[in-house]
Amino acid sequence: MIKIACVGDVMPASVHHGKKDNYIKSDVLEFLKSFDIRVATLECAIGDKPSFDPEKMVRKQDIVYAPTSDLYRVKEMGIDVVSLANNHAFDLGEEGLINTCKQLDKLGIKYCGAGLNSEEASCPAVVTFAGVSIAFLAFCDWRMDTVGYVPFATKNKAGMNEMREKNIKESIEKNKSQYDHLFIFLHWGVEYSYFPTPSMTTLADKILNWGADGIIGGHTHRIQPLISSHNKFIYFSLGNFFFPDRYINKPRPTYYPSEGEDLSNCPYSYGWPYVSILY
């Protein structure tokens, strides 16, 4: 039996920046250690000299980023795989995406869902445990009313892996036979909603019929229902795991406290991991 902890959105900085201890409860970390594999959505760009994506700034959309020095927390949580297919991984532009991938490589954290071209963005993240290969693909919704402006990867352009049915189906068909298990990250849904839309349930059903072993959803910042069918699961949205979204100064970049600011009564934002067990 392989135990996989599927947790929600992670953004390791903001009001946590500079905190070496007590940024997350020790019992949560111990609980995560009890699993064989841990996966999450890294919903931010990583960079030390922020150059905000000009297109998002013009559109007055939120910018979510974390300094490189805070990324260690993702490793400390034991996260093995992250999805980058989301509406914030490109918030520091192509340079930020390159740095994000570079820093994840340094920490030995595998990633999927974004890249310097469509080939890279569509590559799976693969983990092998006890001789069992487990692959993860990640896709970001393309609709403006869902995720806002998101640059999507093409043959010669960096960006996210696009959540088009044709793209998902072809990716599943290409990778299904190569690995023992194949799971799909989807960044979709209506923010701050507790229920999936009809289009989400329809697409989820198709994805399982195409051969995926399960769906790990995110973006809504709310926990949405879990559906289990034929020993396959659909997490429509896992909500926040470690994501202080209340500290985004809409429609401006993530809030970072000034030096010496009293944060003793500052409410942080992290949740509890959902769990999937593979047999």
Side-chain angles (χ1 to χ4, degrees):
M1 181 175 67
I2 299 174
K3 297 193 299 181
I4 300 178
C6 305
V7 307
D9 294 343
V10 171
M11 190 289 204
S14 184
V15 291
H16 304 287
H17 179 59
K19 290 176 64 69
K20 297 297 182 183
D21 302 304
N22 301 320
Y23 66 88
I24 190 171
K25 291 182 178 180
S26 60
D27 58 345
V28 176
L29 293 178
E30 288 302 313
F31 182 66
L32 288 173
K33 289 179 182 178
S34 69
F35 292 87
D36 302 312
I37 299 169
R38 292 145 294 269
V39 302
T41 291
L42 181 64
E43 197 175 5
C44 64
I46 305 297
D48 297 317
K49 295 180 180 179
S51 179
F52 303 141
D53 180 13
E55 184 66 27
K56 291 196 75 171
M57 293 298 286
V58 168
R59 294 169 181 262
K60 296 185 178 180
Q61 293 182 2
D62 300 337
I63 300 288
V64 182
Y65 71 99
T68 299
S69 61
D70 289 305
L71 188 60
Y72 81 92
R73 294 191 179 99
V74 180
K75 183 69 174 181
E76 193 166 85
M77 293 174 196
I79 303 299
D80 301 290
V81 176
V82 297
S83 166
L84 299 180
N86 59 75
N87 56 317
H88 291 299
F90 208 83
D91 281 6
L92 299 182
E94 183 174 326
E95 183 179 349
L97 179 62
I98 292 171
N99 184 63
T100 301
C101 296
K102 176 182 176 182
Q103 300 305 326
L104 289 169
D105 285 335
K106 284 184 178 180
L107 292 174
I109 300 172
K110 298 186 178 182
Y111 52 88
C112 55
L116 296 184
N117 50 56
S118 54
E119 183 178 359
E120 287 187 7
S122 63
C123 283
V126 182
V127 177
T128 300
F129 185 87
V132 178
S133 59
I134 303 170
F136 299 88
L137 293 168
F139 304 85
C140 182
D141 201 349
W142 50 271
R143 286 165 287 205
M144 287 289 296
D145 59 348
T146 300
V147 295
Y149 166 76
V150 176
F152 291 103
T154 66
K155 184 177 180 180
N156 299 305
K157 188 178 74 171
M160 308 299 111
N161 199 19
E162 192 169 10
M163 196 187 78
R164 298 279 185 178
E165 286 193 14
K166 182 175 183 291
N167 190 22
I168 299 172
K169 186 174 186 291
E170 289 179 351
S171 294
I172 292 173
E173 291 173 347
K174 177 181 177 181
N175 290 281
K176 176 65 177 175
S177 62
Q178 300 184 47
Y179 308 104
D180 296 311
H181 297 281
L182 178 63
F183 295 94
I184 308 297
F185 282 103
L186 295 177
H187 206 73
W188 59 351
V190 179
E191 282 192 303
Y192 307 109
S193 169
Y194 290 99
F195 298 99
T197 64
S199 65
M200 291 168 68
T201 59
T202 299
L203 178 58
D205 185 61
K206 289 180 179 180
I207 289 172
L208 295 187
N209 287 333
W210 292 333
D213 293 303
I215 295 169
I216 306 165
H219 174 63
T220 67
H221 302 293
R222 294 289 185 269
I223 294 174
Q224 292 188 348
L226 159 67
I227 295 176
S228 180
S229 176
H230 303 290
N231 293 320
K232 295 182 177 183
F233 63 83
I234 303 168
Y235 293 135
F236 282 105
S237 179
L238 292 172
N240 292 337
F241 176 58
F242 194 91
F243 192 97
D245 63 319
R246 60 169 59 91
Y247 299 108
I248 297 173
N249 296 322
K250 297 179 180 295
R252 295 173 292 177
T254 305
Y255 164 73
Y256 283 88
S258 59
E259 186 175 351
E261 189 170 344
D262 182 13
L263 300 177
S264 58
N265 295 317
C266 188
Y268 298 145
S269 178
Y270 57 82
W272 193 265
Y274 266 86
V275 176
S276 164
I277 300 178
L278 295 181
Y279 295 91

